[in-house]
Amino acid sequence: MRSEDAGTDRGSRAGGGPWVAAGANLALGVCAILPGTFIHWLVTHYLPMDCTNGTTTGGPGCDRDTYALASFYKEAAAASGLVVLALTVVVDVLMPRQERWSMRVWLGMTVLIPVPFFAGLALGRF
């Protein structure tokens, strides 16, 4: 057995395993906590209101002011979401393709990315 064949065999076994793919996607999920938190705030706290028209005075929700930080949360969610998306493409598509690992395993494990956020949400951390 040649030394280059042994390295290729070991590399394909290590990268092709589901545990490595699961660990990498859970680590991506830790990075995805930030955009998840921003999106969670937008969904739970920010209510879009159409009270800009001067004739609308008593519509539902028009007695509340819009949040001043809403634009910050929207921009932060978009920017951090794009970073996590780029990391996901690198880790789950480009790395396995370069190393000739099974793409099916790596793409299948992408469902684990939101697990750290939902675990923190269930524990009341966010």
Side-chain angles (χ1 to χ4, degrees), residues 29 49 64 74 104 107:
M49 295 174 263
R64 294 177 39 181
K74 289 178 189 177
R104 186 179 324 147
L107 291 176

mmCIF file of all heavy atoms in Angstrom, residues 29 49 64 74 104 107:
data_model
loop_
_atom_site.group_PDB
_atom_site.id
_atom_site.type_symbol
_atom_site.label_atom_id
_atom_site.label_comp_id
_atom_site.label_asym_id
_atom_site.label_seq_id
_atom_site.Cartn_x
_atom_site.Cartn_y
_atom_site.Cartn_z
ATOM 1 N N GLY A 29 -24.038 26.001 14.262
ATOM 2 C CA GLY A 29 -25.233 26.405 14.988
ATOM 3 C C GLY A 29 -24.929 27.362 16.123
ATOM 4 O O GLY A 29 -25.732 28.237 16.443
ATOM 5 N N MET A 49 -46.337 48.560 12.137
ATOM 6 C CA MET A 49 -47.558 49.348 12.258
ATOM 7 C C MET A 49 -47.620 50.345 11.113
ATOM 8 O O MET A 49 -46.612 50.909 10.718
ATOM 9 C CB MET A 49 -47.562 50.101 13.588
ATOM 10 C CG MET A 49 -47.607 49.204 14.790
ATOM 11 S SD MET A 49 -47.424 50.125 16.300
ATOM 12 C CE MET A 49 -45.693 49.919 16.581
ATOM 13 N N ARG A 64 -48.904 52.898 20.140
ATOM 14 C CA ARG A 64 -47.528 52.583 20.518
ATOM 15 C C ARG A 64 -46.568 53.164 19.501
ATOM 16 O O ARG A 64 -46.851 53.225 18.310
ATOM 17 C CB ARG A 64 -47.339 51.067 20.584
ATOM 18 C CG ARG A 64 -48.137 50.430 21.678
ATOM 19 C CD ARG A 64 -48.017 48.943 21.705
ATOM 20 N NE ARG A 64 -46.667 48.473 21.424
ATOM 21 C CZ ARG A 64 -46.335 47.217 21.380
ATOM 22 N NH1 ARG A 64 -47.232 46.300 21.593
ATOM 23 N NH2 ARG A 64 -45.103 46.855 21.119
ATOM 24 N N LYS A 74 -32.854 44.557 12.106
ATOM 25 C CA LYS A 74 -33.029 44.047 10.744
ATOM 26 C C LYS A 74 -31.691 43.941 10.023
ATOM 27 O O LYS A 74 -31.393 42.927 9.387
ATOM 28 C CB LYS A 74 -33.960 44.965 9.956
ATOM 29 C CG LYS A 74 -35.393 44.897 10.374
ATOM 30 C CD LYS A 74 -36.208 45.882 9.561
ATOM 31 C CE LYS A 74 -37.604 46.008 10.076
ATOM 32 N NZ LYS A 74 -38.375 47.019 9.326
ATOM 33 N N ARG A 104 -23.808 13.769 0.695
ATOM 34 C CA ARG A 104 -25.104 13.419 1.248
ATOM 35 C C ARG A 104 -25.082 13.499 2.778
ATOM 36 O O ARG A 104 -26.011 14.007 3.390
ATOM 37 C CB ARG A 104 -25.491 12.014 0.801
ATOM 38 C CG ARG A 104 -26.883 11.618 1.215
ATOM 39 C CD ARG A 104 -27.256 10.231 0.744
ATOM 40 N NE ARG A 104 -26.690 9.932 -0.568
ATOM 41 C CZ ARG A 104 -26.299 8.732 -0.933
ATOM 42 N NH1 ARG A 104 -26.408 7.717 -0.117
ATOM 43 N NH2 ARG A 104 -25.797 8.518 -2.133
ATOM 44 N N LEU A 107 -24.656 17.430 3.801
ATOM 45 C CA LEU A 107 -25.866 18.218 3.562
ATOM 46 C C LEU A 107 -27.030 17.729 4.423
ATOM 47 O O LEU A 107 -27.894 18.512 4.800
ATOM 48 C CB LEU A 107 -26.232 18.184 2.081
ATOM 49 C CG LEU A 107 -25.270 18.933 1.160
ATOM 50 C CD1 LEU A 107 -25.667 18.749 -0.296
ATOM 51 C CD2 LEU A 107 -25.210 20.400 1.526
#
